[in-house]
């Protein structure tokens, strides 16, 4: 970028308003950067809310909402999300591909989880 801007600055000069505009643009990028990164590479809990348990999703009105369950992680590299509802009679939901910043969708980790997701229309 420096090599592209250098000939323009040498020919036309650099004004104060241009410095202020460049400073504002860099500040906007610095302010929005973490938010964009969190949206593109979300945490596991954010992905769960976005894909299955958030408002309007298939598990929102179920005991598998994150505020109605205890969430732990198991498996190699903690790649399986285990959701245990506070109601003891409700079965445990296991989801694979549970990595922070993961790009693959959360999927059922066992047959019981497949049945739970199918019963809720996921």
């Amino acid at each position: 970028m420096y090599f592209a801007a250098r000939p323009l600055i040498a020919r036309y000069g650099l004004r104060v308003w241009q410095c202020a505009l460049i400073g504002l643009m860099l500040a906007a990028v610095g302010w929005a950067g973490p938010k964009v990164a969190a949206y593109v590479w979300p945490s596991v809990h954010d992905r769960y809310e976005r894909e299955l348990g958030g408002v309007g999703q298939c598990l929102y009105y179920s005991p598998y909402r994150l505020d109605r369950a205890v969430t732990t992680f198991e498996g190699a590299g903690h790649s399986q999300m285990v959701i245990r509802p506070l109601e003891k009679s409700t079965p445990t939901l296991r989801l694979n591909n549970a990595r922070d910043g993961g790009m693959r969708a959360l999927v059922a980790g066992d047959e019981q989880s497949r049945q739970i997701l199918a019963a809720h229309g996921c």
Side-chain angles (χ1 to χ4, degrees):
M1 190 155 126
Y2 169 77
F3 294 107
R6 185 172 177 217
L8 292 174
I9 292 171
R11 182 169 181 165
Y12 298 110
L14 188 62
R15 310 272 192 272
V16 172
W17 70 270
Q18 293 168 329
C19 292
L21 180 65
I22 291 169
L24 286 174
M25 288 180 2
L26 289 174
V29 167
W31 174 76
K35 293 179 182 182
V36 170
Y39 182 79
V40 174
W41 298 287
S43 70
V44 177
H45 291 97
D46 290 340
R47 287 177 52 214
Y48 179 79
E49 290 288 321
R50 194 183 298 174
E51 295 174 19
L52 299 170
V55 178
Q57 300 299 325
C58 58
L59 295 178
Y60 184 70
Y61 293 109
S62 74
Y64 299 101
R65 264 182 46 185
L66 292 182
D67 61 346
R68 297 179 187 169
V70 176
T71 306
T72 57
F73 296 91
E74 295 176 355
H78 300 288
S79 63
Q80 188 175 64
M81 183 178 196
V82 180
I83 302 167
R84 291 182 179 89
L86 296 177
E87 301 170 6
K88 298 297 179 190
S89 61
T90 308
T92 300
L93 177 65
R94 296 177 181 277
L95 299 170
N96 288 340
N97 302 330
R99 294 184 182 272
D100 283 337
M103 303 298 264
R104 295 175 21 191
L106 296 171
V107 295
D110 57 10
E111 186 58 37
Q112 180 180 12
S113 298
R114 280 187 205 85
Q115 291 173 358
I116 292 168
L117 293 177
H120 288 91
C122 299

